[in-house]
Amino acid sequence: MENNRKEQIEALKVLGDFQDKIIGNAGLLMNELKICRKPDTDKLLKSVTDAVNWEMSILGNTLDLINEKEEVLNKTRINDAVMAFAGALQTQEDAKIAEALEKLLIPMLQRIEDAVQKVYE
C-alpha cells in the first residue's frame, strides 16, 4: 500500500511539472484555431490531444490521493470536459475545438494544476 502511495506521489509530481506546458500549449492552440492557423497547428493539436490522454491516465491512478481529504476534483466534471473536447475534435471545426478548449478543457487543466499543488501543501 505504501509503495502505491509513493508511486502516486511521484506521478503527481511529474503531472504537476507538466501542467504549465500543457496549459500553455492548449492556449496557443486555442488562439491559432480562433485567429490564424499555422502550418504546424495540426501537429500542435495532436500534441495537446496526446497530452490530455496521458494526463487522464495519470489522474485515473491518482484521483483518490488528490481527493483523499476532500473532493477537490470531480471525476464526472473532468470526464465531461474531455468528452466535450473529443466531440469538438470529431467535428473538425476549428471554432468548436477552440471553444471547447477555452470554456472547458483549459479551465479543467487549471483546476487539475491547482489540485496537484494542494497535495504538496
Side-chain angles (χ1 to χ4, degrees), residues 3-21:
N3 261 354
N4 187 41
R5 184 177 177 84
K6 186 177 178 181
E7 289 172 2
Q8 287 178 315
I9 290 171
E10 288 174 14
L12 284 177
K13 173 80 171 110
V14 172
L15 180 63
D17 292 344
F18 188 65
Q19 280 309 101
D20 282 340
K21 183 174 182 174

Side-chain angles (χ1 to χ4, degrees), residues 44-58:
L44 180 58
L45 176 59
K46 180 168 178 10
S47 173
V48 168
T49 302
D50 290 346
V52 168
N53 288 333
W54 173 81
E55 192 158 318
M56 292 306 104
S57 71
I58 298 294

Side-chain angles (χ1 to χ4, degrees), residues 20-69:
D20 282 340
K21 183 174 182 174
I22 186 174
I23 291 168
N25 283 346
L28 181 63
L29 175 62
M30 178 190 67
N31 288 333
E32 287 184 18
L33 293 172
K34 283 175 115 175
I35 300 166
C36 181
R37 269 186 162 269
K38 295 184 178 178
D40 66 345
T41 299
D42 286 331
K43 187 175 181 180
L44 180 58
L45 176 59
K46 180 168 178 10
S47 173
V48 168
T49 302
D50 290 346
V52 168
N53 288 333
W54 173 81
E55 192 158 318
M56 292 306 104
S57 71
I58 298 294
L59 278 176
N61 293 312
T62 60
L63 199 55
D64 60 328
L65 177 61
I66 292 170
N67 290 335
E68 188 173 52
K69 295 176 185 167

Side-chain angles (χ1 to χ4, degrees), residues 19-34 48 52 55-56 73 77-78 81-82 84-85 97-114:
Q19 280 309 101
D20 282 340
K21 183 174 182 174
I22 186 174
I23 291 168
N25 283 346
L28 181 63
L29 175 62
M30 178 190 67
N31 288 333
E32 287 184 18
L33 293 172
K34 283 175 115 175
V48 168
V52 168
E55 192 158 318
M56 292 306 104
L73 292 175
R77 285 192 209 139
I78 293 169
V82 172
F85 178 61
I97 298 168
E99 182 179 4
L101 284 164
E102 181 176 26
K103 294 184 177 176
L104 300 167
L105 194 67
I106 293 172
M108 185 263 305
L109 294 172
Q110 291 167 332
R111 282 192 300 277
I112 291 169
E113 181 177 41
D114 292 344

